[in-house]
Amino acid sequence: MDPEGFWGDIAGHFYWRKRWDKVLEWNFRDPKVEWFIGGRLNITENCLDRHLGSLGNKPAIIWEPNDPEEHHRVLTYRELHTKVVQFANVLKNNGVQKGDRVCLYMGMVPELAIAVLACARIGAIHSVIFGGFSAQSIADRLMDAQAEYVITCDGAYRGNKEIPLKSVIDDALVQCRFVKRVIVLTRTRTPVSMIKGRDVWWEDEIKKVETMGNPDCPAEEMDSEDPLFILYTSGSTGKPKGVVHTCAGYMVYTNYTFVNTFQYEPGDIHFCTADIGWITGHSYIVYGPLSAGATTLLFEGIPTWPDAGRFWEVVDKYKVNVLYTAPTAIRSLMGFGLGPLQGKQLSSLKVLGTVGEPINEEAWHWYNENIGKGRCPIVDTWWQTETGGVLISNMAGVTPAKPSYATLPMPGVQPVLVDENGKEITGNNVSGNLCIRFPWPSIIRTTYGDHERCRTNYFSAYENMYFTGDGCYRDEEGNYRITGRVDDVLNVSGHRIGTAEVENAINMHAGVVESAVVGYPHDIKGQGIYCFVIFQGSHGDENLNRQDITQTVSRIIGPIAKPDKIQFVPGLPKTRSGKIMRRILRKIAEGELENLGDTSTLLDPAVVDEIKKGRL
Ligand code: WTA
């Protein structure tokens, strides 16, 4: 095996201002990983400029609005290029320079993709924040990244809701006086307050560039290892981590995995239903498809509005060939039965994909039979924000699928199972913690502003390996099946949420003495959030107290982290040294009230019975 030779050949298919001198240098001790060393490039030249000759008139982005009555939009590669250049000039006019951090808090509109690419064009580092995060979460991220520029919308549509994005940004910026400029795109015409000297309208800024005669904006020449973006994700501690990806490795790997996992063929319409606020949207709505010259579909709405047939309607409307979605969406749509599928053809579909969480067999078969009509391979793609692209998956129609298995690693990827002591578990039909032995081009480079955190989080648990945080089973034939997180991270509807983050938020409520949060199996969300709370609040109505706590979590983190269950308890099961025994709480939340294991080391074993009695 020769990974360097392999990736060097693949990288040769891109447009480089200067070819690299050396493919790879690495050690997992520091950690230090560098790919395509000495190479010079700009990812937007690979996503846009190089396609203009042959694909200029081809649709790059098809945008389906939230409201099916509103007109959709199509941007050809030429049009997208023009708009990216225009907005790149807007950024420059507003003082943004190479290396500056730009925070994007927008809905799923084409301008979000345009803003992402415009940042990359001038070498600014984008940090997209999902629209479901609160002002406090945004402020935390802005401070961590020291981002002086924000791009947002007046509001966003999601189903029958209107989210006042600019107003949330205004709340966040009360704490972030270092933000110099906020560029606001008009979408919903939600009333906003524009602060003099700080806030400007997207449309006005575009007009200024037009008055200047729409000058070109040559792409900034970047080093292979210059940062491309920061994306925050939850870990087992309270504070989200800014995962850093760099220009060349990320480009090569997302393109490679896009083309191979989905077996992309020129002309395919690719519909990834994720939000660009998550890594899936970065890699498989924006960079992967565009670097391959594909047509990517960007959908503003949600699967269940105006009704639960919306995905299928969109598939038929644009003759979608590849549909890539999350198991939670499949399970939720399954719940509506076959009614919403009436009259839908779905005959354009060739490949289906899933991502973000384990898919249960029932959902897999429903997807296969009712959506793929038994003739579309399903790829179950396992990967993470930190991995940048798909690491373990079957390849559509090339390698076999197995329901609920991600199956085999992508070429060049070397998974290892280890036990708690770090000893490798060899052979088949075994379970362990999933690690990766050798770097791939889009491996996390650092956590922004805190390299030591990157080391301790991912590279210190097991020597010379990247630790994923996932548990995994390897079957008789060597297929991998991801069984879920082994750290204190929840996966709620495919969204990563740290239990410590939720606990910190709950503990902010004045009436809360202490709390412990664990996950439990949830039919649709995959995992639900179960909170054990010691409460000494004023009013006696338990439900009101629950609502107040839920409201607090929504305020501190965002609506995506709202607890599913809140149980008030007299105490928490603690060891004599004061450590909460989460294992016990997890079992109770799961409904497994017998066999709680050894409780003799607890400070107060009686509290366990109380908690069991009060289980929701
Ligand atoms: C989980 C999303 C099972 C896993 C791309 C991982 C999966 C976490 C799968 C990363 C899959 C992702 N099967 N579990 N196919 N894909 N996961 O960073 O626990 O939002 O560690 O990246 O999602 O979530 P993240």
Side-chain angles (χ1 to χ4, degrees):
M1 235 170 52
D2 170 23
E4 275 107 322
F6 178 77
W7 291 115
D9 285 346
I10 289 166
H13 297 132
F14 292 82
Y15 174 69
W16 299 82
R17 294 275 187 94
K18 175 185 169 285
R19 207 184 149 90
W20 60 93
D21 306 315
K22 192 173 176 205
V23 173
L24 173 67
E25 258 180 39
W26 70 288
N27 75 68
F28 279 170
R29 284 183 316 279
D30 295 340
K32 179 185 109 158
V33 181
E34 293 178 357
W35 281 91
F36 311 111
I37 297 157
R40 310 283 294 174
L41 77 159
N42 186 291
I43 195 167
T44 70
E45 286 187 326
N46 284 278
C47 288
L48 302 170
D49 305 57
R50 72 167 167 153
H51 302 318
L52 293 182
S54 52
L55 305 173
N57 295 324
K58 178 181 173 171
I61 295 180
I62 299 175
W63 177 68
E64 168 73 3
N66 180 59
D67 183 346
E69 304 290 309
E70 190 183 338
H71 266 299
H72 71 274
R73 284 168 66 186
V74 177
L75 294 175
T76 64
Y77 270 94
R78 193 172 309 286
E79 288 163 337
L80 181 60
H81 177 268
T82 302
K83 288 190 181 296
V84 168
V85 162
Q86 230 179 13
F87 195 66
N89 278 321
V90 166
L91 292 174
K92 278 188 177 170
N93 287 346
N94 281 278
V96 183
Q97 294 183 354
K98 178 177 179 182
D100 286 346
R101 277 78 54 218
V102 181
C103 160
L104 280 57
Y105 185 69
M106 302 170 78
M108 284 283 284
V109 286
E111 284 77 9
L112 171 52
I114 291 167
V116 161
L117 293 165
C119 288
R121 185 91 180 163
I122 64 169
I125 302 170
H126 57 78
S127 177
V128 186
I129 302 181
F130 176 62
F133 281 111
S134 70
Q136 184 60 52
S137 292
I138 296 167
D140 291 343
R141 287 160 174 73
L142 284 172
M143 283 187 267
D144 189 81
Q146 284 296 305
E148 294 175 331
Y149 303 92
V150 174
I151 305 168
T152 190
C153 304
D154 48 0
Y157 296 120
R158 270 182 73 77
N160 58 9
K161 288 204 196 103
E162 219 176 284
I163 300 153
L165 298 178
K166 172 63 164 66
S167 147
V168 179
I169 285 290
D170 287 337
D171 289 345
L173 295 198
V174 171
Q175 297 178 57
C176 303
R177 294 298 167 89
F178 52 83
V179 170
K180 292 184 191 154
R181 185 70 82 236
V182 181
I183 303 177
V184 187
L185 176 82
T186 309
R187 172 64 187 126
T188 55
R189 303 204 165 263
T190 311
V192 295
S193 74
M194 297 291 282
I195 304 298
K196 199 177 292 157
R198 189 193 72 186
D199 302 352
V200 295
W201 288 104
W202 175 298
E203 295 77 8
D204 292 346
E205 296 305 298
I206 293 286
K207 276 202 200 96
K208 286 185 200 161
V209 173
E210 281 168 352
T211 339
M212 290 158 62
N214 269 328
D216 188 22
C217 179
E220 184 77 32
E221 186 177 295
M222 306 295 284
D223 188 89
S224 290
E225 283 297 329
D226 277 337
L228 175 63
F229 66 86
I230 305 172
L231 186 59
Y232 284 86
T233 189
S234 294
S236 41
T237 57
K239 201 173 149 247
K241 300 172 284 217
V243 173
V244 175
H245 284 289
T246 55
C247 295
Y250 178 80
M251 170 181 79
V252 169
Y253 198 76
T254 52
N255 175 279
Y256 175 80
T257 49
F258 170 75
V259 169
N260 286 284
T261 310
F262 303 108
Q263 289 293 302
Y264 170 73
E265 290 175 316
D268 280 352
I269 312 270
H270 181 81
F271 179 17
C272 166
T273 71
D275 192 288
I276 295 178
W278 307 111
I279 191 69
T280 307
H282 282 61
S283 301
Y284 300 112
I285 296 178
V286 182
Y287 288 114
L290 295 179
S291 65
T295 300
T296 184
L297 201 155
L298 207 152
F299 174 44
E300 185 183 35
I302 57 171
T304 49
W305 193 84
D307 59 58
R310 190 68 193 279
F311 273 0
W312 325 131
E313 191 190 303
V314 173
V315 167
D316 280 355
K317 182 169 173 187
Y318 302 105
K319 309 228 170 342
V320 166
N321 304 111
V322 182
L323 175 68
Y324 188 35
T325 194
T328 189
I330 298 167
R331 286 190 300 264
S332 137
L333 293 173
M334 249 171 88
F336 289 88
L338 297 179
L341 281 159
Q342 292 259 310
K344 307 292 193 303
Q345 305 301 319
L346 304 182
S347 49
S348 55
L349 288 174
K350 294 196 302 193
V351 173
L352 302 177
T354 67
V355 57
E357 44 174 335
I359 182 161
N360 48 310
E361 290 201 34
E362 196 193 352
W364 194 97
H365 287 295
W366 189 88
Y367 197 34
N368 184 40
E369 280 152 33
N370 298 297
I371 309 306
K373 318 280 188 196
R375 53 173 186 76
C376 303
I378 301 180
V379 290
D380 178 346
T381 64
W382 173 83
W383 57 295
Q384 311 177 297
T385 305
E386 295 85 345
T387 71
V390 173
L391 288 197
I392 304 182
S393 174
N394 51 315
M395 291 193 238
V398 177
T399 59
K402 177 169 180 180
S404 83
Y405 282 75
T407 72
L408 298 173
M410 298 299 286
V413 172
Q414 305 181 25
V416 190
L417 299 185
V418 291
D419 66 17
E420 270 99 78
N421 306 316
K423 211 169 138 313
E424 181 173 346
I425 303 169
T426 53
N428 287 344
N429 192 14
V430 289
S431 295
N433 289 347
L434 179 62
C435 293
I436 315 285
R437 203 200 308 271
F438 193 86
W440 60 99
S442 63
I443 186 174
I444 179 175
R445 296 303 197 271
T446 190
T447 44
Y448 191 78
D450 190 352
H451 192 62
E452 175 59 14
R453 188 150 180 229
C454 176
R455 192 188 70 78
T456 47
N457 253 289
Y458 305 106
F459 299 94
S460 70
Y462 305 106
E463 206 179 335
N464 281 323
M465 285 187 241
Y466 165 80
F467 176 43
T468 65
D470 279 321
C472 186
Y473 167 71
R474 186 166 51 215
D475 77 0
E476 299 74 17
E477 284 112 40
N479 289 306
Y480 290 87
R481 176 179 203 252
I482 311 301
T483 48
R485 303 286 305 194
V486 293
D487 52 7
D488 291 319
V489 173
L490 306 180
N491 194 328
V492 181
S493 302
H495 300 158
R496 264 167 79 169
I497 299 170
T499 53
E501 247 177 293
V502 182
E503 287 166 7
N504 290 347
I506 292 175
N507 296 349
M508 302 276 274
H509 186 285
V512 171
V513 180
E514 199 178 1
S515 65
V517 170
V518 298
Y520 72 99
H522 188 288
D523 284 347
I524 289 175
K525 297 180 175 185
Q527 266 189 313
I529 303 179
Y530 197 117
C531 313
F532 298 90
V533 176
I534 308 177
F535 194 79
Q536 279 186 349
S538 46
H539 49 72
D541 185 322
E542 285 209 343
N543 278 329
L544 281 180
N545 293 336
R546 281 200 183 94
Q547 285 172 24
D548 288 351
I549 291 173
T550 302
Q551 178 65 17
T552 311
V553 175
S554 214
R555 228 345 114 85
I556 303 296
I557 305 177
I560 56 165
K562 275 187 187 167
D564 295 284
K565 293 183 178 181
I566 298 175
Q567 179 184 344
F568 294 109
V569 295
L572 292 168
K574 286 189 178 173
T575 60
R576 287 195 184 83
S577 59
K579 222 174 100 110
I580 298 174
M581 301 269 284
R582 288 162 184 289
R583 175 176 56 78
I584 294 176
L585 293 175
R586 230 173 273 133
K587 285 206 165 162
I588 296 177
E590 284 164 11
E592 207 185 298
L593 301 183
E594 310 304 317
N595 310 322
L596 291 181
D598 184 14
T599 55
S600 65
T601 56
L602 288 181
L603 193 60
D604 176 14
V607 84
V608 174
D609 294 324
E610 292 288 319
I611 297 175
K612 273 170 35 182
K613 267 190 240 145
R615 181 177 175 270
L616 298 173

